[in-house]
Amino acid sequence: MIPNNVLRTWRAGGAAINGWLSIGCPFTAEIMAAQGYDSITIDLQHGLVGYEVATTMLQAMQASGVTPLVRVPWLDPTWIMKALDAGAYGVICPMVNTREDAERLVSYVRYPPVGTRSFGPTRANFSAGADYGREADREVICLAMIETAEAFANLAEIVATPGLDGVYIGPADLTLGLTGRRFPTGFDRVEPELVEAIGTILDTAHQAGIRACLHNGSPAYAAKAIGWGFDLVTVSNDVRLLADAARASVETTRRLTAGAGES
């Protein structure tokens, strides 16, 4: 089986840089995959992506060697198992709120006797390697999202779940869960109570011997998160990167041509 480069990075003591795909397009996926990310996540929860196009996006990323991950829509065995069968090397699962939720997640990701995943790696048998059935449980990453007040309250029990590789913080939902509408939603939190909560999740995960991952809105914040000790950082997404680049191009052109027609 082709090794999981995120796991390699972690074992070497490094932090992985993760890209994020919300546009349902194989060409966009291929472009992003060629930019040097350690891993790229296809977002089936909030992204404009369905299962069939997600499979073609996984195919488009294959040549780059980037590690493909999928954020599934929910804690649902159908979505989780089909994402893995399509060739995802890891699952990020939203709204894991209790130890029971985390145990179910691990069960859906791992084959018996550890879990309950049904065997049928339709594409993964080819994309990952013929020995997929024997190696998958060692190479596939299982990440639970911590993004609600309930999950934060149950954090110590969640991170102690056997078979869970790490937790993934969604700062926008975490802000809503912990503070309601007192602060604007979004990433790159600077409010002391939210920075403290993010640090608590990081420390609690590491104390349990698992990894901590954070979604970020900018390279500067992602670099700061790596400095704090995060093991994987997501830097923006394809939608935001496209919008920012397009806006910068237009603004620069207008600035450079301002007054060009004046005598």
Side-chain angles (χ1 to χ4, degrees):
M1 183 175 174
I2 298 170
N4 186 323
N5 286 326
V6 173
L7 290 176
R8 280 181 168 179
T9 299
W10 288 348
R11 289 164 186 159
I17 298 176
N18 180 57
W20 199 266
L21 298 173
S22 297
I23 300 171
C25 175
F27 186 39
T28 304
E30 187 177 33
I31 293 169
M32 287 281 285
Q35 304 313 311
Y37 293 98
D38 298 300
S39 58
I40 291 185
T41 300
I42 299 173
D43 186 6
L44 296 181
Q45 184 189 21
H46 292 303
L48 303 179
V49 187
Y51 179 73
E52 285 76 13
V53 72
T55 301
T56 64
M57 292 164 72
L58 289 166
Q59 291 173 313
M61 293 193 289
Q62 178 83 14
S64 71
V66 71
T67 296
L69 310 176
V70 168
R71 177 164 74 170
V72 294
W74 213 252
L75 180 56
D76 182 318
T78 302
W79 279 105
I80 291 169
M81 294 184 195
K82 286 179 73 66
L84 295 174
D85 290 345
Y89 262 65
V91 166
I92 301 172
C93 185
M95 298 296 176
V96 175
N97 293 318
T98 64
R99 168 67 177 259
E100 181 184 11
D101 287 345
E103 289 174 345
R104 288 168 56 204
L105 170 59
V106 171
S107 176
Y108 302 153
V109 170
R110 310 297 182 198
Y111 287 122
V114 176
T116 61
R117 181 183 172 191
S118 175
F119 189 77
T122 305
R123 176 174 178 267
N125 254 342
F126 301 96
S127 61
D131 58 349
Y132 180 85
R134 185 176 71 248
E135 301 293 334
D137 282 354
R138 285 192 287 270
E139 294 293 335
V140 170
I141 298 171
C142 180
L143 300 175
M145 293 197 73
I146 303 297
E147 50 186 345
T148 67
E150 184 181 9
F152 190 74
N154 293 322
L155 182 61
E157 291 77 20
I158 291 172
V159 299
T161 304
L164 188 68
D165 292 301
V167 293
Y168 188 103
I169 301 173
D173 276 320
L174 186 67
T175 299
L176 289 172
L178 296 182
T179 68
R181 303 302 296 234
R182 280 197 290 123
F183 302 118
T185 55
F187 310 129
D188 296 2
R189 307 314 310 189
V190 296
E191 302 83 0
E193 65 189 281
L194 292 171
V195 172
E196 181 180 358
I198 289 169
T200 296
I201 297 170
L202 169 68
D203 292 342
T204 304
H206 283 177
Q207 288 165 10
I210 66 172
R211 306 293 178 168
C213 314
L214 181 66
H215 205 99
N216 305 270
S218 67
Y221 201 94
K224 182 164 60 173
I226 291 174
W228 290 337
F230 276 94
D231 303 289
L232 179 147
V233 291
T234 297
V235 187
S236 193
N237 68 6
D238 52 355
V239 173
R240 192 73 264 152
L241 291 169
L242 176 60
D244 289 347
R247 181 184 301 108
S249 177
V250 171
E251 290 176 351
T252 300
T253 303
R254 293 193 189 283
R255 175 174 55 80
L256 292 174
T257 58
E262 299 176 2
S263 57

